[in-house]
Structure formats: C-alpha cells, structure tokens
Amino acid sequence: MPQEMTTQEQFDAFADEVARKLGTHCRTAPNDKYVRGLARLIIDDEGRALNLCQPDDRQPARLKVSAALPDDFEVQAPSIGVTASSARHVAREITRRLYPLHTEISQVAAQLTARKEAEARDRRAVAESLAEALPGARVQEQHRRTDVYWQRASQPQGQPGPVQVDNVRAVIGASGESVSVEVSGRPRGIVAMLAALAER
C-alpha cells in the first residue's frame, strides 16, 4: 500500500530508508533548492546525487526521482516517476531505471566539460597572442567567448585640438578558431596597427 507522506519529517524518514535500501553507503541531506513541496537529496559514496521529491501534494504517494547535476551542466537531468509503495520498491526502481540514465548523462556531461575546457584553453592562447600584439590590451572572459579591448589616446604634437583615440575590440569565438575585430581611430594609426596584425 502506497505511503502517503504529508510532513517533511515523514518524508525525511522515508528518504533515509530508501538510502539504506540502495546499499551504496548512501546518506541523505536537505534539498534547499526544491521549494514546491517535500524533497530530500540522496547522495552515495561516489558523489552521485539524486533529488527525491513529492511534486504534487494532492498525490502524496507519487514521487519523482531525478539526477542532481551541477547547475552549469548543459544537459537535462534524467528523472523517473515512482509510487511510494515502499522504500524497497523506490530503491529498486532507482537502481533499475534511473542509475543507468544517470551514468550515461554523467558521461555526456564529462565530455561537454572536457570540450569546454579545451575551448577555453584555445581562446586563452589566441587572447595572449592578441595581447602581445597590442600591449596594454584588456582581456575579458565571457560565457564561451573572450573579448580583447585595446585603446590608445594621443594628442597631435604641437597642435591644439581634441584627443584622438584608437580602439580595437576583438571577439574570440567559442572554439578559439575565429576572431572578429572592430577597429576605429586615426587612419594612420589604424593602418599601421592592421599591418602589424597582418604580419603575425
């Protein structure tokens, strides 16, 4: 018969029992990110975490279990629905249905992380090369993009008038394999700068 948990204390006790039934040295912890209803985290000795929650208090015996992935993962966390008939039943369904998906999505997430780290290294190498060509350039990291800003202000020697400013903004794409450049300023200075860049 399904267990209908209506308080956080009841839910915590049930989650503790599920963790024991999983048999992987699991422990439970508060799930502070879940604000819609009753919830608890289950974490095993490999650091694999699960969200156990009751998404609808009108159906207290219906539970949702999902993989708890870091916020910066660009993958959708797998989840299953399960009836709280017993802690043993929930643990069995997690082992049978969710853990294989969890393993698969963790491998995909690890590949994405490795790719992002390689892209960041490539962008840094390009940014360093640009900063070397443009002494004093300012490098700013964005989400999967790097901006390089350079500016030089000069007053025409012996001539009154406004300060003239040369500007370069280079945007290095996600993979580090493309750069777009915007340049503005005095024609003589800009031509010399572009010529120097073309020689690199």
Side-chain angles (χ1 to χ4, degrees), residues 39-60:
R40 192 84 173 153
L41 281 175
I42 299 175
I43 305 161
D44 69 14
D45 58 350
E46 297 176 12
R48 185 170 46 185
L50 303 173
N51 291 311
L52 178 66
C53 63
Q54 186 187 75
D56 186 353
D57 59 6
R58 294 169 300 180
Q59 295 182 309

PDB file of all heavy atoms in Angstrom, residues 39-60:
ATOM      1  N   ALA A  39      10.938  17.351  -0.223  1.00  0.00           N
ATOM      2  CA  ALA A  39      12.081  16.902  -1.023  1.00  0.00           C
ATOM      3  C   ALA A  39      13.248  16.547  -0.108  1.00  0.00           C
ATOM      4  O   ALA A  39      13.345  17.023   1.022  1.00  0.00           O
ATOM      5  CB  ALA A  39      12.492  17.973  -2.012  1.00  0.00           C
ATOM      6  N   ARG A  40      14.143  15.722  -0.657  1.00  0.00           N
ATOM      7  CA  ARG A  40      15.344  15.324   0.077  1.00  0.00           C
ATOM      8  C   ARG A  40      16.386  14.877  -0.951  1.00  0.00           C
ATOM      9  O   ARG A  40      16.030  14.337  -2.005  1.00  0.00           O
ATOM     10  CB  ARG A  40      15.007  14.155   1.011  1.00  0.00           C
ATOM     11  CG  ARG A  40      16.071  13.832   2.033  1.00  0.00           C
ATOM     12  CD  ARG A  40      15.945  14.699   3.245  1.00  0.00           C
ATOM     13  NE  ARG A  40      16.881  14.262   4.287  1.00  0.00           N
ATOM     14  CZ  ARG A  40      17.371  15.066   5.194  1.00  0.00           C
ATOM     15  NH1 ARG A  40      17.017  16.340   5.229  1.00  0.00           N
ATOM     16  NH2 ARG A  40      18.210  14.616   6.105  1.00  0.00           N
ATOM     17  N   LEU A  41      17.652  15.133  -0.667  1.00  0.00           N
ATOM     18  CA  LEU A  41      18.753  14.643  -1.503  1.00  0.00           C
ATOM     19  C   LEU A  41      19.228  13.299  -0.984  1.00  0.00           C
ATOM     20  O   LEU A  41      19.286  13.091   0.230  1.00  0.00           O
ATOM     21  CB  LEU A  41      19.933  15.612  -1.476  1.00  0.00           C
ATOM     22  CG  LEU A  41      19.861  16.858  -2.348  1.00  0.00           C
ATOM     23  CD1 LEU A  41      21.074  17.740  -2.074  1.00  0.00           C
ATOM     24  CD2 LEU A  41      19.798  16.506  -3.817  1.00  0.00           C
ATOM     25  N   ILE A  42      19.565  12.395  -1.901  1.00  0.00           N
ATOM     26  CA  ILE A  42      20.212  11.132  -1.561  1.00  0.00           C
ATOM     27  C   ILE A  42      21.560  11.141  -2.272  1.00  0.00           C
ATOM     28  O   ILE A  42      21.615  11.309  -3.489  1.00  0.00           O
ATOM     29  CB  ILE A  42      19.378   9.914  -1.997  1.00  0.00           C
ATOM     30  CG1 ILE A  42      18.013   9.916  -1.288  1.00  0.00           C
ATOM     31  CG2 ILE A  42      20.131   8.624  -1.727  1.00  0.00           C
ATOM     32  CD1 ILE A  42      17.082   8.805  -1.743  1.00  0.00           C
ATOM     33  N   ILE A  43      22.646  10.962  -1.506  1.00  0.00           N
ATOM     34  CA  ILE A  43      23.995  11.043  -2.070  1.00  0.00           C
ATOM     35  C   ILE A  43      24.721   9.750  -1.738  1.00  0.00           C
ATOM     36  O   ILE A  43      24.744   9.310  -0.581  1.00  0.00           O
ATOM     37  CB  ILE A  43      24.763  12.247  -1.468  1.00  0.00           C
ATOM     38  CG1 ILE A  43      23.951  13.532  -1.672  1.00  0.00           C
ATOM     39  CG2 ILE A  43      26.147  12.373  -2.086  1.00  0.00           C
ATOM     40  CD1 ILE A  43      24.339  14.666  -0.777  1.00  0.00           C
ATOM     41  N   ASP A  44      25.337   9.130  -2.768  1.00  0.00           N
ATOM     42  CA  ASP A  44      26.050   7.877  -2.499  1.00  0.00           C
ATOM     43  C   ASP A  44      27.545   8.134  -2.326  1.00  0.00           C
ATOM     44  O   ASP A  44      28.017   9.275  -2.418  1.00  0.00           O
ATOM     45  CB  ASP A  44      25.753   6.818  -3.569  1.00  0.00           C
ATOM     46  CG  ASP A  44      26.354   7.146  -4.930  1.00  0.00           C
ATOM     47  OD1 ASP A  44      27.210   8.040  -5.020  1.00  0.00           O
ATOM     48  OD2 ASP A  44      25.959   6.491  -5.911  1.00  0.00           O
ATOM     49  N   ASP A  45      28.297   7.061  -2.073  1.00  0.00           N
ATOM     50  CA  ASP A  45      29.728   7.217  -1.767  1.00  0.00           C
ATOM     51  C   ASP A  45      30.554   7.598  -2.986  1.00  0.00           C
ATOM     52  O   ASP A  45      31.733   7.918  -2.857  1.00  0.00           O
ATOM     53  CB  ASP A  45      30.280   5.946  -1.111  1.00  0.00           C
ATOM     54  CG  ASP A  45      30.099   4.709  -1.964  1.00  0.00           C
ATOM     55  OD1 ASP A  45      29.387   4.781  -2.988  1.00  0.00           O
ATOM     56  OD2 ASP A  45      30.662   3.661  -1.612  1.00  0.00           O
ATOM     57  N   GLU A  46      29.979   7.578  -4.179  1.00  0.00           N
ATOM     58  CA  GLU A  46      30.676   8.021  -5.389  1.00  0.00           C
ATOM     59  C   GLU A  46      30.390   9.494  -5.691  1.00  0.00           C
ATOM     60  O   GLU A  46      30.830  10.016  -6.701  1.00  0.00           O
ATOM     61  CB  GLU A  46      30.252   7.159  -6.581  1.00  0.00           C
ATOM     62  CG  GLU A  46      30.632   5.697  -6.445  1.00  0.00           C
ATOM     63  CD  GLU A  46      30.113   4.855  -7.600  1.00  0.00           C
ATOM     64  OE1 GLU A  46      29.668   5.429  -8.604  1.00  0.00           O
ATOM     65  OE2 GLU A  46      30.164   3.625  -7.489  1.00  0.00           O
ATOM     66  N   GLY A  47      29.601  10.140  -4.804  1.00  0.00           N
ATOM     67  CA  GLY A  47      29.260  11.543  -5.027  1.00  0.00           C
ATOM     68  C   GLY A  47      28.079  11.725  -5.959  1.00  0.00           C
ATOM     69  O   GLY A  47      27.718  12.846  -6.312  1.00  0.00           O
ATOM     70  N   ARG A  48      27.464  10.633  -6.365  1.00  0.00           N
ATOM     71  CA  ARG A  48      26.288  10.689  -7.234  1.00  0.00           C
ATOM     72  C   ARG A  48      25.102  11.111  -6.384  1.00  0.00           C
ATOM     73  O   ARG A  48      24.842  10.529  -5.338  1.00  0.00           O
ATOM     74  CB  ARG A  48      26.082   9.303  -7.836  1.00  0.00           C
ATOM     75  CG  ARG A  48      24.993   9.176  -8.835  1.00  0.00           C
ATOM     76  CD  ARG A  48      25.062   7.833  -9.528  1.00  0.00           C
ATOM     77  NE  ARG A  48      25.250   6.708  -8.605  1.00  0.00           N
ATOM     78  CZ  ARG A  48      25.434   5.454  -9.001  1.00  0.00           C
ATOM     79  NH1 ARG A  48      25.474   5.156 -10.276  1.00  0.00           N
ATOM     80  NH2 ARG A  48      25.581   4.486  -8.114  1.00  0.00           N
ATOM     81  N   ALA A  49      24.382  12.142  -6.832  1.00  0.00           N
ATOM     82  CA  ALA A  49      23.278  12.672  -6.026  1.00  0.00           C
ATOM     83  C   ALA A  49      21.954  12.555  -6.775  1.00  0.00           C
ATOM     84  O   ALA A  49      21.894  12.673  -7.998  1.00  0.00           O
ATOM     85  CB  ALA A  49      23.543  14.135  -5.667  1.00  0.00           C
ATOM     86  N   LEU A  50      20.899  12.324  -5.982  1.00  0.00           N
ATOM     87  CA  LEU A  50      19.543  12.201  -6.523  1.00  0.00           C
ATOM     88  C   LEU A  50      18.628  13.170  -5.790  1.00  0.00           C
ATOM     89  O   LEU A  50      18.756  13.364  -4.581  1.00  0.00           O
ATOM     90  CB  LEU A  50      19.000  10.786  -6.325  1.00  0.00           C
ATOM     91  CG  LEU A  50      19.794   9.619  -6.902  1.00  0.00           C
ATOM     92  CD1 LEU A  50      19.175   8.308  -6.439  1.00  0.00           C
ATOM     93  CD2 LEU A  50      19.819   9.694  -8.418  1.00  0.00           C
ATOM     94  N   ASN A  51      17.694  13.761  -6.528  1.00  0.00           N
ATOM     95  CA  ASN A  51      16.614  14.539  -5.921  1.00  0.00           C
ATOM     96  C   ASN A  51      15.417  13.612  -5.763  1.00  0.00           C
ATOM     97  O   ASN A  51      14.912  13.077  -6.747  1.00  0.00           O
ATOM     98  CB  ASN A  51      16.196  15.696  -6.840  1.00  0.00           C
ATOM     99  CG  ASN A  51      17.252  16.761  -6.957  1.00  0.00           C
ATOM    100  OD1 ASN A  51      17.774  17.223  -5.967  1.00  0.00           O
ATOM    101  ND2 ASN A  51      17.584  17.138  -8.180  1.00  0.00           N
ATOM    102  N   LEU A  52      14.970  13.420  -4.541  1.00  0.00           N
ATOM    103  CA  LEU A  52      13.743  12.662  -4.271  1.00  0.00           C
ATOM    104  C   LEU A  52      12.711  13.685  -3.820  1.00  0.00           C
ATOM    105  O   LEU A  52      12.932  14.404  -2.849  1.00  0.00           O
ATOM    106  CB  LEU A  52      13.985  11.619  -3.173  1.00  0.00           C
ATOM    107  CG  LEU A  52      12.769  10.783  -2.745  1.00  0.00           C
ATOM    108  CD1 LEU A  52      12.304   9.893  -3.887  1.00  0.00           C
ATOM    109  CD2 LEU A  52      13.115   9.946  -1.523  1.00  0.00           C
ATOM    110  N   CYS A  53      11.608  13.789  -4.560  1.00  0.00           N
ATOM    111  CA  CYS A  53      10.640  14.825  -4.208  1.00  0.00           C
ATOM    112  C   CYS A  53       9.208  14.348  -4.435  1.00  0.00           C
ATOM    113  O   CYS A  53       8.953  13.363  -5.121  1.00  0.00           O
ATOM    114  CB  CYS A  53      10.900  16.109  -4.995  1.00  0.00           C
ATOM    115  SG  CYS A  53      10.725  15.921  -6.780  1.00  0.00           S
ATOM    116  N   GLN A  54       8.307  15.086  -3.844  1.00  0.00           N
ATOM    117  CA  GLN A  54       6.873  14.855  -3.977  1.00  0.00           C
ATOM    118  C   GLN A  54       6.316  16.070  -4.731  1.00  0.00           C
ATOM    119  O   GLN A  54       6.044  17.102  -4.141  1.00  0.00           O
ATOM    120  CB  GLN A  54       6.255  14.752  -2.581  1.00  0.00           C
ATOM    121  CG  GLN A  54       4.790  14.377  -2.567  1.00  0.00           C
ATOM    122  CD  GLN A  54       4.259  14.471  -1.141  1.00  0.00           C
ATOM    123  OE1 GLN A  54       4.041  15.559  -0.637  1.00  0.00           O
ATOM    124  NE2 GLN A  54       4.081  13.324  -0.495  1.00  0.00           N
ATOM    125  N   PRO A  55       6.189  15.982  -6.060  1.00  0.00           N
ATOM    126  CA  PRO A  55       5.841  17.163  -6.856  1.00  0.00           C
ATOM    127  C   PRO A  55       4.398  17.653  -6.694  1.00  0.00           C
ATOM    128  O   PRO A  55       4.112  18.805  -7.002  1.00  0.00           O
ATOM    129  CB  PRO A  55       6.107  16.718  -8.295  1.00  0.00           C
ATOM    130  CG  PRO A  55       6.050  15.234  -8.266  1.00  0.00           C
ATOM    131  CD  PRO A  55       6.449  14.801  -6.887  1.00  0.00           C
ATOM    132  N   ASP A  56       3.504  16.796  -6.215  1.00  0.00           N
ATOM    133  CA  ASP A  56       2.090  17.188  -6.120  1.00  0.00           C
ATOM    134  C   ASP A  56       1.537  16.712  -4.779  1.00  0.00           C
ATOM    135  O   ASP A  56       1.355  15.509  -4.568  1.00  0.00           O
ATOM    136  CB  ASP A  56       1.309  16.576  -7.288  1.00  0.00           C
ATOM    137  CG  ASP A  56      -0.131  17.055  -7.344  1.00  0.00           C
ATOM    138  OD1 ASP A  56      -0.584  17.752  -6.406  1.00  0.00           O
ATOM    139  OD2 ASP A  56      -0.817  16.726  -8.326  1.00  0.00           O
ATOM    140  N   ASP A  57       1.240  17.644  -3.878  1.00  0.00           N
ATOM    141  CA  ASP A  57       0.751  17.234  -2.556  1.00  0.00           C
ATOM    142  C   ASP A  57      -0.656  16.646  -2.604  1.00  0.00           C
ATOM    143  O   ASP A  57      -1.123  16.055  -1.647  1.00  0.00           O
ATOM    144  CB  ASP A  57       0.818  18.388  -1.549  1.00  0.00           C
ATOM    145  CG  ASP A  57       0.010  19.599  -1.987  1.00  0.00           C
ATOM    146  OD1 ASP A  57      -0.696  19.526  -3.016  1.00  0.00           O
ATOM    147  OD2 ASP A  57       0.083  20.628  -1.292  1.00  0.00           O
ATOM    148  N   ARG A  58      -1.326  16.783  -3.758  1.00  0.00           N
ATOM    149  CA  ARG A  58      -2.650  16.145  -3.913  1.00  0.00           C
ATOM    150  C   ARG A  58      -2.506  14.665  -4.213  1.00  0.00           C
ATOM    151  O   ARG A  58      -3.453  13.899  -4.093  1.00  0.00           O
ATOM    152  CB  ARG A  58      -3.443  16.835  -5.028  1.00  0.00           C
ATOM    153  CG  ARG A  58      -3.819  18.289  -4.696  1.00  0.00           C
ATOM    154  CD  ARG A  58      -4.349  19.008  -5.902  1.00  0.00           C
ATOM    155  NE  ARG A  58      -3.335  19.016  -6.946  1.00  0.00           N
ATOM    156  CZ  ARG A  58      -3.477  19.570  -8.145  1.00  0.00           C
ATOM    157  NH1 ARG A  58      -4.626  20.138  -8.489  1.00  0.00           N
ATOM    158  NH2 ARG A  58      -2.507  19.557  -9.027  1.00  0.00           N
ATOM    159  N   GLN A  59      -1.291  14.250  -4.630  1.00  0.00           N
ATOM    160  CA  GLN A  59      -0.981  12.836  -4.862  1.00  0.00           C
ATOM    161  C   GLN A  59       0.288  12.500  -4.075  1.00  0.00           C
ATOM    162  O   GLN A  59       1.360  12.294  -4.660  1.00  0.00           O
ATOM    163  CB  GLN A  59      -0.768  12.566  -6.356  1.00  0.00           C
ATOM    164  CG  GLN A  59      -2.015  12.781  -7.198  1.00  0.00           C
ATOM    165  CD  GLN A  59      -1.745  12.453  -8.659  1.00  0.00           C
ATOM    166  OE1 GLN A  59      -0.786  12.932  -9.249  1.00  0.00           O
ATOM    167  NE2 GLN A  59      -2.584  11.616  -9.227  1.00  0.00           N
ATOM    168  N   PRO A  60       0.188  12.449  -2.757  1.00  0.00           N
ATOM    169  CA  PRO A  60       1.389  12.299  -1.921  1.00  0.00           C
ATOM    170  C   PRO A  60       2.144  10.990  -2.122  1.00  0.00           C
ATOM    171  O   PRO A  60       3.310  10.904  -1.751  1.00  0.00           O
ATOM    172  CB  PRO A  60       0.850  12.415  -0.495  1.00  0.00           C
ATOM    173  CG  PRO A  60      -0.603  12.119  -0.594  1.00  0.00           C
ATOM    174  CD  PRO A  60      -1.039  12.551  -1.961  1.00  0.00           C
TER     175      PRO A  60
END
